[in-house]
Amino acid sequence: MNLPDIILITGTDTGVGKTITTAALAAALMAAGRSVAVYKPCQSGAATGDLDTGEIVRLAGAVTAEAGVVLQEPLAPVAAAAVDGAPLPRLAVHAGRVRELASSHDHVLVEGAGGLLVELDPDGGTLADLGSLLAAAFVLVARPALGTLNHTALTLEALAARDLRVLGLVLGSWPSAPEFVHRSNRDVLGSLPAPFLGAIPERASELSPARFRAESAAWLNGLPA
Ligand SMILES: Nc1ncnc2c1ncn2[C@@H]1O[C@H](COP(=O)(O)OP(=O)(O)OP(=O)(O)O)[C@@H](O)[C@H]1O
Ligand SMILES: [Mg+2]
């Protein structure tokens, strides 16, 4: 599987399936014999049980997984850090840790918080800025529902404006009984210049980890061979 060392996973919104997509990508890479680290620069919502790295390890298996900072409230990082009274690491700190992980793993998958332009540090640095610092490629996770075409176009435009490389698009949660709107959106998203990498079935997180790992490469069948 011919993928870059450092891949940043962003979404058109929060809750679109970045975590499950990151887990599937990690599982597919590991099935291809690659070592994988997952890094979540800012994890919000620990008090309500949100821990994306834990979910990724449960589903994907033996990946190194860590968060740069863990915040209690289910809020954007700057707001959550203010409530906790915790300092947010600067982007350079995240970039340094990602480079360290890249030196000891074949791939590092970095899952953003919310969408591309959410502020991650006290200087207003975003995942887009982290992508520039690391010269990394992006996977964009989108919804299949109404509204996704605009959100996807906006995010792709923001990536293009910064000369950031897009590996491709993933639908984070593909319904088991898709309606016309879902199929129509999938057709449109599948015909954009950005490659369409695949779709994760809804309820994939309820599969046994063994099945999740066995099926992940098939869900992401648009990944470069
Ligand atoms: N394909 C899927 N299978 C099962 N559950 C899913 C799927 N996609 C999304 N979900 C569920 O929807 C919710 C949001 O998904 P997820 O946590 O992956 O979003 P996210 O984009 O990572 O959000 P965040 O910005 O909080 O990191 C979770 O409860 C997750 O379990
Ligand atoms: Mg997540």
Side-chain angles (χ1 to χ4, degrees), residues 1-4 7 21 24-25 28-29 138-139 165-171 186 189-190 192-200 215-225:
M1 208 175 280
N2 191 14
L3 291 178
I7 301 172
T21 297
L25 198 47
L29 285 166
F138 281 79
V139 166
R165 181 176 161 212
V166 179
L167 268 182
L169 302 176
V170 175
L171 290 172
R186 186 171 179 153
L189 296 177
L192 296 177
F196 186 79
L197 303 182
I200 315 295
E215 295 190 14
S216 54
W219 300 331
L220 297 173
N221 60 3
L223 286 172

Side-chain angles (χ1 to χ4, degrees), residues 8 126-138 164:
L8 271 53
T126 66
L127 193 72
D129 297 320
L130 187 61
S132 299
L133 274 179
L134 292 166
F138 281 79
L164 293 165

Side-chain angles (χ1 to χ4, degrees), residues 37-204:
V38 171
Y39 185 74
K40 176 95 181 174
C42 300
Q43 172 72 64
S44 297
T48 54
D50 286 348
L51 191 58
D52 291 353
T53 50
E55 178 69 351
I56 291 165
V57 169
R58 181 181 76 79
L59 291 169
V63 297
T64 304
E66 61 182 61
V69 64
V70 176
L71 304 160
Q72 296 305 310
E73 300 299 320
L75 297 169
V78 170
V83 174
D84 282 3
L88 279 178
R90 291 200 144 73
L91 281 194
V93 173
H94 295 305
R97 185 60 189 143
V98 171
R99 287 193 192 100
E100 273 173 20
L101 290 166
S103 69
S104 52
H105 297 79
D106 295 324
H107 299 278
V108 187
L109 309 180
V110 180
E111 185 193 333
L116 183 69
L117 299 186
V118 169
E119 294 186 4
L120 301 180
D121 84 356
D123 305 321
T126 66
L127 193 72
D129 297 320
L130 187 61
S132 299
L133 274 179
L134 292 166
F138 281 79
V139 166
L140 174 58
V141 184
R143 298 180 207 281
L146 198 62
T148 196
L149 300 182
N150 178 56
H151 291 151
T152 303
L154 287 170
T155 306
L156 289 172
E157 186 174 295
L159 288 161
R162 292 164 176 79
D163 279 329
L164 293 165
R165 181 176 161 212
V166 179
L167 268 182
L169 302 176
V170 175
L171 290 172
S173 186
W174 181 249
S176 47
E179 297 167 20
F180 184 84
V181 63
H182 302 126
R183 292 185 200 284
S184 164
N185 283 339
R186 186 171 179 153
D187 286 347
V188 174
L189 296 177
S191 64
L192 296 177
F196 186 79
L197 303 182
I200 315 295
E202 74 178 348
R203 310 181 74 166

